[in-house]
Amino acid sequence: MSKLQKWFLVIFVLGSSWISPLVNSATLVVSVVDDNDKKVRDAVVYAEAVKSEQVVDAENKKSIIDQRDKEFIEYVTPVRLGTAVYFPNNDNIRHHVYSFSPAKKFEIPLYAGTPADPIVFDKPGVAVLGCNIHDWMSAYVFVSKTPYFLVTDADGRATIKNLPSGDYDVQVWHPKLKGSGKATNQRISVGKDGSISLSFVVKLKRLWSPRRAPAMSVGGY
Amino acid sequence: MQFHSFQTRLLVFVLGLLVLVQSSVFFAVNKANINNARVQIDEALEITAGVFKKSINDRTQRLLEKARLLSGDFAFKQAYATSEHGTILSALENHRIRIGSDWMMLISLTNNVIADTLHPDLHGVTFSLPELIKNVMESEYGETSSIEFVDGIPYQMVVVPLFTPDPSAWIIIGFVIDATFAAELQELTKSHVSIVSGRPGDSLSLVASTLANNLQTTLSNTLSAVSWEINKSIPLRMDSADYVSLVTPLWNDKDNSIIAVLQRSLDEAMQPYMRLQVILIVIFVSGLALSLVGGVLIARTVTRPVQILARHAHKIEEGDYTHYVAIKQKDELGELAESFNYMVKGLAERDRVRNLLGKVVSPAIAEELLSKEIKLGGEEREVTILFSDIRNFTTLSERQSPQRLLTLLNTYLTKIGEVVEANGGVVDKYIGDALMALFGAPLNHDDDATRAVNTAMGMHKTLGGLNVDFEQQGLPKLNIGIGINTSVVVVGNMGSNTRLNYTVIGDGVNLASRLEGLTKKYGVGVIVSESTKADTAGFLFRELDRVYVKGKTEAHTIFEPVAKEGELGHADLEALDRYHEALKQYREQNWDLARKHFLALQAKSPGDKIYQIYLGRIEKFIKAPPGSEWDGTFTHNEK
Ligand SMILES: [Cu+2]
């Protein structure tokens, strides 16, 4: 995880705890492994309240998907519905970001620097991002309806803090996930302060991707 | 023509040997070459199979590269994102034309047809080759290739994912396998390429081939009939031409249902070896020709001088010594020619000597002298010696000129000499008008005595004829006496070392001479000794007397050959018997009886001197009887 993203996450977490400081809240500790007992990183863990009363409040929510060394950073970015995502280009060449996904179809033709207008992800779902001129570049934007979500780290762990009391459906999504996220559903009940541990075993599929062009002697990095 | 045959033999040998050696070499090399060629063709074909396989793989790689280009094409992705069938199909068709493929398809990840350039209306239905999708799902990079039949036509096809940027569909690109395909592979493999569908043992059907049309049907029929294995070369005979063939899978699928037959014409592959064969034959034939020419030339250097020598030898046989052999070779034959010339010279010399010698001595003696090593001394041999002499020659010579006399003498001696030689005798020497002849030396016969007596009779007969001639020429008639004795004498070369004379010496010679001398006294032509008579066969003899020859103490009975047996008439035989009876009575001193007989005989042939002689003696003995001691021997006191 980049420092920037961690910093954003901290703000998010702090923000949500600030919304209902007097309500009981728990910490959800999730670990995700595949069927080979291998820790799965880049899995989005999200908890949706069974009685959905949450207001969609995406005002002023912003996110960044960086392009560095002809790769998207991060590979998987979960955002709250309505979030405006910026695509700053840190390479000295142009990129051409696109998505044909139903969740968000867009295209930012060849550009350098940071485009003035961000892309607002206003439909829940997954947008697969590619770059027209670099076939191997791909990234995923997970547009979440619920504010309670996180991406697993290298250890396959995600810790969602300050989950208010109530019943939640906790699910996992991953780019290579076989089948839909709903199949992973685990319902939890948050009553008093404390910590809930959940572990997911997911089936991953093979996902072919175009091979990255070998490094060239000029230009590039 | 033995020389010719020598040349022939030499040539036959040399050429035969050459043919044997050359043909052995030729057949060995040729066989090795052909075997080698077959092995090389087999190996070459196996290598070709490798090249073929690599060519197919390269082709697949190229197709995959083309497919990958498309799978990353953004415009196509945009077209795909429209989800409009018409747009997607036309974009697909556009790309198909761009990369020059025969067929393109887009299949969804759930195995449904999205678009198909061969069947524009087809979409939304399950794809007909689920195996292909299964294979690609199991592949490492989401790519696969295969050969599949679509509408009965085989296509080489590749499958790649459409990345948007995640795999969202399968792009299938197909290239038809046809004559062009086969031709491309033929260019790479330098072999005939035929694509055949079917499994070993099945009836096969030809898909495409670089073979001529008539051979194409032959191939599938031939291949169906024989048993073959994958990647094992087999000889196939198609339309009376041999092809080394190798079956290789066109694609490494499970059941080898589509195969490639690689073929090379054996004749074409054998061409370099055939050229070698021609070279071998040329070498063989020219070697043979050179050997023939060389053999003839070498043989000629032998046969021609030999022919010349043979021709000259033939001339020498005919007595022509005037030619010399001109062979100027510096080899054995040159030496032979030189020796031959020396020999001719020697022979000519010897012949001259022989001719001269034959004139001086009798040819037989000359022969004897030439045939043996001449040395002094002689050997003891029984020889019959004949002496002949002309009576009253002294008186005769006084009446004639010496020239006429010599002519007369030469004619006479030549003639009687011929009689001697005709009877196998040898004229030893002429002593004035006398002639001494030998029978039994140097050449001897079983009947030398008979030959001598025969000679004597013949000489008298010859003389009779000569005398007629002499009379006609006004020359005097000759009268001869002949004495013959047979005795062991010494024969050989006598004289000095530098001058030799072949002759005989001994008492026997003298006796013959004395007997000759007695002929005049007894009035007979020939007197032979007792020993000669004993050795003579076929003659009737008249015993003339028993005498002491002058200077001899031994008594000799002397005889006159009268005639050949059976030649005498009855009267003559009776007279001969009566004579011998008279002689008997005479020796027994019955003088009256003896006289009576002699008188009777004399009355019949008054000219016979012998009767006169005995009648004279009887008269004397009657007056003065010889006494009882007398043995009938008469002693001649004068010559
Ligand atoms: Cu790019």
Side-chain angles (χ1 to χ4, degrees):
Chain A
M1 263 193 207
S2 75
K3 275 182 180 174
L4 188 71
Q5 193 148 5
K6 268 184 179 168
W7 190 77
F8 261 88
L9 267 173
V10 168
I11 292 171
F12 265 84
V13 171
L14 286 175
S16 21
S17 58
W18 271 107
I19 289 163
S20 49
L22 300 173
V23 181
N24 286 338
S25 65
T27 299
L28 181 62
V29 179
V30 175
S31 76
V32 181
V33 292
D34 66 5
D35 44 3
N36 290 322
D37 207 23
K38 224 173 131 192
K39 290 159 184 165
V40 178
R41 66 170 290 181
D42 291 332
V44 179
V45 180
Y46 54 97
E48 283 180 359
V50 177
K51 290 175 186 167
S52 186
E53 295 163 357
Q54 279 106 9
V55 182
V56 176
D57 182 15
E59 288 296 311
N60 299 317
K61 295 268 188 272
K62 286 172 186 162
S63 189
I64 288 173
I65 296 177
D66 195 0
Q67 291 117 68
R68 206 180 282 269
D69 271 359
K70 297 176 214 158
E71 295 288 357
F72 287 112
I73 296 169
E74 293 291 323
Y75 176 57
V76 175
T77 306
V79 295
R80 185 116 181 249
L81 191 63
T83 303
V85 179
Y86 291 87
F87 292 91
N89 180 359
N90 280 294
D91 287 329
N92 57 359
I93 52 150
R94 289 168 192 263
H95 289 291
H96 179 155
V97 182
Y98 70 86
S99 163
F100 295 124
S101 302
K104 185 70 189 177
K105 289 189 185 178
F106 72 92
E107 192 179 332
I108 311 171
L110 290 168
Y111 65 95
T114 305
D117 299 326
I119 304 296
V120 177
F121 289 82
D122 46 10
K123 269 190 260 176
V126 177
V128 186
L129 309 186
C131 172
N132 185 14
I133 63 170
H134 305 111
D135 285 350
W136 63 91
M137 286 175 69
S138 64
Y140 299 86
V141 178
F142 183 87
V143 186
S144 174
K145 289 186 279 182
T146 163
Y148 312 111
F149 55 84
L150 260 180
V151 169
T152 54
D153 61 14
D155 290 331
R157 298 180 78 88
T159 305
I160 302 170
K161 288 174 178 168
N162 299 320
L163 201 59
S165 56
D167 293 339
Y168 292 90
D169 282 331
V170 183
Q171 294 173 1
V172 174
W173 176 88
H174 188 269
K176 291 182 183 176
L177 185 71
K178 223 173 194 176
S180 95
K182 283 176 180 132
T184 64
N185 188 57
Q186 290 191 51
R187 184 163 286 190
I188 56 166
S189 199
V190 178
K192 52 183 178 167
D193 291 350
S195 164
I196 298 169
S197 288
L198 270 184
S199 59
F200 288 84
V201 178
V202 295
K203 282 187 178 170
L204 298 184
K205 64 182 182 191
R206 196 173 213 170
L207 183 68
W208 297 286
S209 56
R211 273 151 277 178
R212 184 178 173 155
M216 290 179 294
S217 52
V218 273
Y221 315 94
Chain B
M1 290 304 279
Q2 63 188 37
F3 298 112
H4 188 253
S5 80
F6 165 75
Q7 181 173 319
T8 311
R9 280 202 303 273
L10 185 74
L11 286 180
V12 165
F13 174 73
V14 169
L15 296 184
L17 198 67
L18 192 81
V19 167
L20 193 73
V21 170
Q22 290 267 54
S23 51
S24 311
V25 168
F26 174 77
F27 285 119
V29 169
N30 199 38
K31 200 180 169 196
N33 275 342
I34 288 170
N35 286 345
N36 193 32
R38 284 182 180 275
V39 169
Q40 285 202 356
I41 293 164
D42 283 356
E43 283 176 357
L45 210 56
E46 278 161 28
I47 291 167
T48 302
V51 171
F52 182 82
K53 195 174 174 185
K54 194 177 181 309
S55 304
I56 296 282
N57 286 342
D58 286 352
R59 199 180 144 93
T60 306
Q61 285 308 315
R62 283 202 311 277
L63 299 186
L64 276 172
E65 279 156 17
K66 288 179 178 177
R68 281 183 205 127
L69 269 180
L70 179 55
S71 77
D73 186 86
F74 189 68
F76 187 72
K77 289 174 194 176
Q78 285 175 313
Y80 171 72
T82 65
S83 300
E84 297 166 17
H85 175 250
T87 307
I88 295 170
L89 182 65
S90 63
L92 208 57
E93 182 67 17
N94 179 55
H95 279 288
R96 184 190 72 75
I97 292 163
R98 235 195 238 172
I99 62 176
S101 83
D102 300 298
W103 173 53
M104 271 185 85
M105 250 189 140
L106 202 63
I107 306 292
S108 77
L109 295 180
T110 51
N111 203 20
N112 280 322
V113 177
I114 297 169
D116 179 349
T117 59
L118 279 180
H119 309 93
D121 297 334
L122 201 67
H123 64 102
V125 298
T126 308
F127 181 45
S128 59
L129 297 168
E131 193 76 8
L132 195 63
I133 301 305
K134 193 173 168 256
N135 285 344
V136 76
M137 297 286 277
E138 287 166 1
S139 68
E140 193 182 350
Y141 296 109
E143 292 174 350
T144 193
S145 60
S146 181
I147 288 173
E148 302 288 346
F149 285 83
V150 173
D151 302 340
I153 297 166
Y155 288 87
Q156 183 177 16
M157 49 183 77
V158 294
V159 184
V160 295
L162 174 67
F163 289 112
T164 60
D166 270 358
S168 49
W170 300 112
I171 301 168
I172 301 178
I173 305 178
F175 289 81
V176 71
I177 291 170
D178 56 4
T180 316
F181 173 84
E184 275 177 31
L185 288 166
Q186 183 189 30
E187 196 139 309
L188 289 167
T189 57
K190 309 293 176 208
S191 305
H192 282 296
V193 176
S194 304
I195 310 299
V196 177
S197 74
R199 272 168 285 271
D202 283 3
S203 70
L204 306 166
S205 69
L206 194 86
V207 173
S209 178
T210 57
L211 288 169
N213 286 339
N214 57 323
L215 286 174
Q216 293 188 1
T217 41
T218 314
L219 173 66
S220 44
N221 293 339
T222 311
L223 202 62
S224 299
V226 300
S227 66
W228 48 271
E229 281 175 58
I230 292 293
N231 285 336
K232 269 236 168 95
S233 97
I234 47 163
L236 284 185
R237 190 159 184 82
M238 304 195 304
D239 289 1
S240 67
D242 284 317
Y243 290 84
V244 181
S245 313
L246 189 129
V247 176
T248 191
L250 186 60
W251 190 251
N252 286 320
D253 66 348
K254 283 164 212 124
D255 50 6
N256 294 322
S257 60
I258 186 153
I259 52 172
V261 184
L262 306 177
Q263 289 179 298
R264 280 190 186 180
S265 158
L266 189 61
D267 285 349
E268 275 172 36
M270 289 295 286
Q271 254 174 17
Y273 295 94
M274 292 302 151
R275 274 200 294 278
L276 190 64
Q277 195 177 51
V278 167
I279 289 168
L280 279 176
I281 288 169
V282 166
I283 289 172
F284 175 61
V285 168
S286 50
L288 208 63
L290 280 177
S291 302
L292 184 71
V293 171
V296 167
L297 288 179
I298 291 172
R300 281 245 179 114
T301 64
V302 175
T303 54
R304 284 178 79 190
V306 171
Q307 278 167 345
I308 292 170
L309 284 169
R311 229 171 19 243
H312 281 77
H314 191 64
K315 277 182 187 164
I316 285 159
E317 204 183 315
E318 289 169 346
D320 183 355
Y321 299 111
T322 55
H323 297 279
Y324 285 84
V325 181
I327 297 170
K328 291 196 171 60
Q329 278 173 221
K330 283 200 160 59
D331 55 11
E332 292 86 344
L333 285 162
E335 281 174 32
L336 178 64
E338 208 176 315
S339 302
F340 187 87
N341 284 339
Y342 278 121
M343 187 190 81
V344 172
K345 214 165 154 188
L347 281 175
E349 202 97 338
R350 183 176 147 163
D351 216 45
R352 249 197 332 272
V353 169
R354 189 187 302 248
N355 280 345
L356 196 63
L357 206 60
K359 282 170 189 162
V360 176
V361 297
S362 141
I365 292 172
E367 202 66 45
E368 170 80 5
L369 289 173
L370 289 166
S371 67
K372 287 181 181 172
E373 195 188 339
I374 300 172
K375 57 182 180 188
L376 273 174
E379 49 178 337
E380 287 200 331
R381 249 205 227 185
E382 193 184 65
V383 174
T384 299
I385 302 121
L386 180 148
F387 257 95
S388 86
D389 194 13
I390 301 172
R391 283 178 200 157
N392 308 320
F393 186 72
T394 324
T395 326
L396 203 72
S397 59
E398 281 165 0
R399 288 192 216 132
Q400 299 293 334
S401 72
Q403 202 58 48
R404 281 176 71 90
L405 192 67
L406 200 62
T407 310
L408 182 88
L409 203 57
N410 281 346
T411 309
Y412 157 73
L413 288 174
T414 303
K415 284 290 178 190
I416 62 165
E418 281 171 9
V419 178
V420 171
E421 274 163 22
N423 282 287
V426 158
V427 176
D428 182 52
K429 57 172 80 84
Y430 297 102
I431 312 149
D433 60 314
L435 173 146
M436 180 177 151
L438 301 175
F439 294 84
L443 304 168
N444 64 325
H445 308 90
D446 290 341
D447 54 348
D448 281 322
T450 309
R451 283 166 181 264
V453 174
N454 216 14
T455 303
M457 306 294 263
M459 282 164 81
H460 275 285
K461 203 178 164 189
T462 302
L463 189 64
L466 264 182
N467 277 340
V468 177
D469 294 344
F470 289 158
E471 251 186 329
Q472 283 172 356
Q473 292 167 31
L475 291 167
K477 283 170 75 176
L478 299 180
N479 195 12
I480 61 168
I482 299 168
I484 303 172
N485 180 35
T486 303
S487 169
V488 172
V489 292
V490 174
V491 298
N493 293 303
M494 284 145 225
S496 71
N497 256 333
T498 52
R499 191 156 170 183
L500 300 174
N501 189 13
Y502 185 87
T503 190
V504 293
I505 47 172
D507 277 351
V509 181
N510 297 333
L511 181 60
S513 174
R514 295 278 181 277
L515 294 178
E516 181 265 314
L518 289 175
T519 53
K520 193 178 172 187
K521 279 204 170 74
Y522 288 96
V524 295
V526 186
I527 293 178
V528 307
S529 70
E530 198 172 3
S531 58
T532 300
K533 183 203 171 246
D535 282 356
T536 302
F539 277 91
L540 288 171
F541 287 93
R542 183 160 72 167
E543 182 174 336
L544 289 175
D545 205 355
R546 189 180 294 152
V547 293
Y548 284 112
V549 181
K550 196 178 102 181
K552 304 286 175 192
T553 51
E554 205 181 329
H556 289 279
T557 309
I558 59 172
F559 300 87
E560 180 204 8
V562 181
K564 279 188 175 162
E565 274 174 10
E567 274 185 1
L568 279 188
H570 180 67
D572 287 338
L573 282 172
E574 214 169 61
L576 193 57
D577 284 345
R578 192 161 193 180
Y579 166 77
H580 283 132
E581 180 59 28
L583 196 59
K584 188 186 164 206
Q585 297 303 327
Y586 163 76
R587 286 189 181 146
E588 287 172 2
Q589 303 190 21
N590 296 325
W591 311 119
D592 289 338
L593 192 55
R595 183 166 59 186
K596 193 186 139 197
H597 281 312
F598 280 125
L599 282 169
L601 287 166
Q602 194 179 35
K604 276 184 186 158
S605 44
D608 207 336
K609 197 177 178 182
I610 192 80
Y611 306 141
Q612 185 65 46
I613 289 167
Y614 275 105
L615 285 170
R617 285 187 198 169
I618 289 167
E619 291 306 319
K620 281 180 186 170
F621 284 137
I622 290 172
K623 284 169 191 166
S628 58
E629 302 284 303
W630 181 66
D631 62 353
T633 308
F634 183 80
T635 306
H636 288 282
N637 292 320
E638 77 278 21
K639 194 199 172 211

